[in-house]
Amino acid sequence: MTAIRSVALVTNPHSGHGRGLAAAAVATARFAERGVRVREIRGADAAETVRLVRDSLRGPERPDAVVCAGGDGLVCVTLQAIASTGVPLGLLPGGTGNDLARELGVPDDDPRAAADIVLGGCVRTIDLGAIESTPDPDHARGPMRFATVAGTGFDARVTLRANRMRRPKGSLRYSFAAVPELLGQLGVPYRIELSGEPGEAGDRVVETEAVMVAVGNTRTYGGGMLICPDAIVDDGLLDLTVVGAMSRLEMVRLLPALAAGKRIDHPAVGHYRARTITLTAAVPATADGDPAGVLPATFRAEPGALAILVP
């Protein structure tokens, strides 16, 4: 438990088509009722937001918590400044997916209740993932931390396309974005290097053809898609789901189950778990729904890197 007397409130006017700002307004009123000081942070872009959050953590007016009013993308930006500082993160879900909030039991449809979780001051320590990837000229982010899932291959291409689309709103946008990607190349050669597997003395290399490979700190992404069904957020490991080569028809049959949050049971789908994972393939990567460069990339678990306020 920690006493919450002041917060830095990070907002994004574009989160969830205004849902983030609406959540921030409700929470700000609730914080005022409880006498909590609020310093709003609204950067013009990701880099400025990271700088402003870092600045807020320096000096005598350091907040008791940093609170994100938005979705997983805004949380991802904030992680770059707050990870390993010991300052807890609070969630006011207002994005499209809100997968981290869902994983931790923070309601995504009641900002007042979410604000009360912040005020309750119950802190849990969870892991983060860290990705070092090849910079993409169009989407360069460099080394970054992520809280939920990093996607590569088909799912990363779908996410990047969905991020460029204005309509439809909500998670349905991902379904529309998937259609043109299904018409392109699906399976590509992957080299998967695993280090620190439970019960394994040495490293292992897997070479396979895959449609997509996801690296999960949590179980879901994209608004509840159960891509890493056995991931545990505080086990010091990352989960890996490999969707092997399959036909377009098989992918069309698989995607609705994934979108519905069902566990994928298919002979072409494999699961691994390790502390460090290196993926090599000619595909892009995303993390928490944000661009994360292109492969090759190395993913590392960072045990206990984030303090977060939970019910």
Side-chain angles (χ1 to χ4, degrees):
M1 302 292 293
T2 187
I4 305 297
R5 302 181 184 90
S6 64
V7 301
L9 179 58
V10 186
T11 61
N12 177 359
H14 304 296
S15 288
H17 301 278
R19 284 188 61 210
L21 288 182
V26 171
T28 298
R30 181 59 172 156
F31 293 152
E33 291 175 10
R34 297 284 293 273
V36 173
R37 298 189 307 275
V38 177
R39 174 184 175 182
E40 186 174 355
I41 293 175
R42 187 184 302 183
D45 54 25
E48 184 181 20
T49 299
V50 171
R51 179 181 62 78
L52 291 173
V53 174
R54 283 178 176 154
D55 288 347
S56 77
L57 300 180
R58 302 188 181 104
E61 296 187 1
R62 174 174 164 136
D64 296 317
V66 174
V67 180
C68 276
D72 294 313
L74 184 61
V75 170
C76 184
V77 170
T78 306
L79 290 179
Q80 313 315 310
I82 196 176
S84 301
T85 65
V87 177
L89 175 70
L91 302 176
L92 298 174
T96 302
N98 305 313
D99 286 276
L100 182 60
R102 185 180 300 104
E103 184 79 21
L104 298 173
V106 177
D108 65 357
D109 58 353
D110 189 342
R112 185 179 174 89
D116 283 341
I117 290 171
V118 172
L119 294 168
C122 182
V123 179
R124 179 180 177 184
T125 301
I126 67 171
D127 305 337
L128 293 176
I131 172 174
E132 296 182 10
S133 62
T134 304
D136 181 327
D138 297 322
H139 305 287
R141 284 289 300 271
M144 64 186 294
R145 290 180 169 99
F146 62 96
T148 60
V149 178
T152 74
F154 176 81
D155 58 349
R157 294 197 303 271
V158 169
T159 298
L160 293 172
R161 181 181 290 272
N163 287 349
R164 297 191 298 266
M165 296 169 58
R166 294 186 176 182
R167 291 183 175 81
K169 296 181 180 180
S171 58
L172 187 61
R173 191 166 72 244
Y174 294 99
S175 299
F176 276 70
V179 174
E181 295 300 336
L182 281 168
L183 302 178
Q185 182 181 8
L186 291 181
V188 299
Y190 269 85
R191 176 183 171 89
I192 302 168
E193 301 170 58
L194 304 168
S195 179
E197 289 183 273
E200 296 289 338
D203 299 343
R204 181 158 57 130
V205 175
V206 177
E207 295 191 359
T208 187
E209 187 172 337
V211 176
M212 62 186 191
V213 177
V215 182
N217 184 50
T218 62
R219 296 175 297 166
T220 70
Y221 65 175
M225 299 183 188
L226 193 64
I227 188 65
C228 295
D230 301 313
I232 300 172
V233 77
D234 57 2
D235 64 353
L237 300 167
L238 293 172
D239 277 44
L240 187 74
T241 295
V242 179
V243 179
M246 61 178 64
S247 69
R248 286 182 177 80
L249 180 58
E250 288 177 301
M251 278 294 293
V252 168
R253 291 172 175 169
L254 180 148
L255 288 176
L258 178 62
K262 297 180 180 179
R263 188 183 185 107
I264 300 173
D265 184 15
H266 190 284
V269 177
H271 301 280
Y272 304 88
R273 182 173 288 162
R275 288 195 301 270
T276 303
I277 300 162
T278 298
L279 301 179
T280 302
V283 297
T286 57
D288 288 341
D290 276 3
V294 296
L295 300 187
T298 297
F299 305 79
R300 292 184 176 88
E302 293 191 342
L306 182 67
I308 192 162
L309 293 160
V310 297

